[in-house]
């Protein structure tokens, strides 16, 4: 099944998309650097949660996310708890790019608190 | 390699991203490696965001300094404290003291993320400073001049650390 974009959010310098096909893919492109992303980003994650249904895996594709500030990062962290506390806990496959340095460091730190629910797949390009 | 960069600017939120990407470009021109560029740009952006959020605002400038040599890296951001910003300044100094209670910055970073993981309060602050300490391999300090109401936050590469 080919992926269909079912949600797309455009913010200054950032594009966020949700695609559904065989997998549920959340893709961010650009830079996440807003002063107060809590409102829209938390709601965006909430909408994704509503799309999970009986899936147990979400793919988070941040390969083209050049930067994410700590303010946005702290909205992502509680969402992990939501995914984990579902009746069928959901795992997150995070697609990263080796050349975008912050991604490797940040995601490996995130794995330290979320155990095996996060798997990182690094694109060498 | 030796690089000294200073800029004084009246901030708009969007100017912080311009500064972050510009600093990364300057460092690339100075032949700084990719890890160093990413870390210093992140440190710079997080410190400037803090200064913007908790500063006096209006026409009050943010002073940004980057000092880079073969062995040392220091990013310093100073700004006027907002007249009602005493509690935020206290929170900042307490976060720095809290980071210093850990044997290494990774433990502080993980602890801070655990706090956020267990909380619904996405507004809980301090993650930026802890991120600077761990991902930036830095000692974070702050100095407040109560006479001028100026705060200076400095992130300096820890002794023996280097960007690989």
């Amino acid at each position: 099944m080919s992926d269909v974009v079912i949600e797309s959010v455009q913010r200054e310098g950032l594009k966020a998309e949700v695609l559904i096909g065989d997998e549920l893919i959340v893709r961010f492109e650009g830079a996440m650097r807003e002063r107060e992303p809590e409102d829209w980003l938390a709601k965006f994650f909430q909408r994704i949660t509503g799309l999970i249904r009986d899936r147990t895996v979400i793919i988070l594709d941040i390969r083209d996310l050049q930067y994410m500030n700590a303010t946005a990062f702290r909205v992502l962290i509680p969402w992990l708890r939501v995914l984990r506390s579902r009746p069928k806990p959901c795992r997150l496959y995070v697609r990263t790019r080796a050349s975008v340095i912050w991604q490797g460091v940040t995601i490996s730190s995130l794995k330290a608190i979320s155990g095996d629910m996060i798997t990182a797949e690094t694109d060498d390009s | 390699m030796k690089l000294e960069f200073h800029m004084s600017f009246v901030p708009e939120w969007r100017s912080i991203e311009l500064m972050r990407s510009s600093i990364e470009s300057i460092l690339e021109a100075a032949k700084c490696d990719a890890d160093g560029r990413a870390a210093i740009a992140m440190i710079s952006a997080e410190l400037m965001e803090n200064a913007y959020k908790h500063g006096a605002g209006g026409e009050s400038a943010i002073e940004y300094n980057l000092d880079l040599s073969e062995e040392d890296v220091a990013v310093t951001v100073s700004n006027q404290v907002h007249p009602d910003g005493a509690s935020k300044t206290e929170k900042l100094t307490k976060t720095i003291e809290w980071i210093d209670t850990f044997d290494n910055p990774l433990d502080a970073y993980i602890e801070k993320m655990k706090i956020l993981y267990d909380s619904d309060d996405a507004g809980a602050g301090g993650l930026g400073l802890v991120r600077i300490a761990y991902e930036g391999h830095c000692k974070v300090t702050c100095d407040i001049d109560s006479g001028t109401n100026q705060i200076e936050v400095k992130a300096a590469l820890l002794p023996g650390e280097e960007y690989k």
Side-chain angles (χ1 to χ4, degrees), chain A residues 88-108:
Chain A
K88 277 186 179 175
C90 210
R91 299 188 63 183
L92 207 56
Y93 280 75
V94 187
R95 289 183 180 153
T96 61
R97 196 180 299 283
S99 59
V100 187
I101 308 290
W102 71 267
Q103 295 180 356
V105 184
T106 301
I107 298 305
S108 64

Side-chain angles (χ1 to χ4, degrees), chain B residues 69-73 157-158 161:
Chain B
S69 66
E70 287 297 336
E71 292 172 352
D72 297 311
V73 177
L157 190 64
L158 287 163
E161 291 282 356

Side-chain angles (χ1 to χ4, degrees), chain A residues 12 31 33-35 67-71 73-74 77-78 80-81 84 101-102 105-106 109-110 112-113, chain B residues 13 17 20 35 38 45-46 49 53 109-110 113-114 116-120 122 124-125 127-128 131 134-135:
Chain A
E12 189 182 347
R33 52 177 165 71
E34 286 183 55
R35 182 182 177 187
Y67 182 68
M68 184 176 195
N69 64 5
T71 310
F73 194 46
R74 74 184 185 209
I77 294 170
L80 300 178
R81 191 191 67 222
R84 188 166 215 170
I101 308 290
W102 71 267
V105 184
T106 301
S109 309
L110 213 48
I113 59 159
Chain B
W13 184 257
E17 172 59 16
R20 187 193 68 80
D35 285 5
E46 294 290 356
E49 286 187 12
K53 285 179 182 172
Y109 196 37
I110 288 172
M113 286 199 288
K114 277 183 186 165
L116 288 165
Y117 184 84
D118 292 330
S119 159
D120 286 323
L127 185 63
R131 185 186 195 190
Y134 172 60
E135 293 187 17

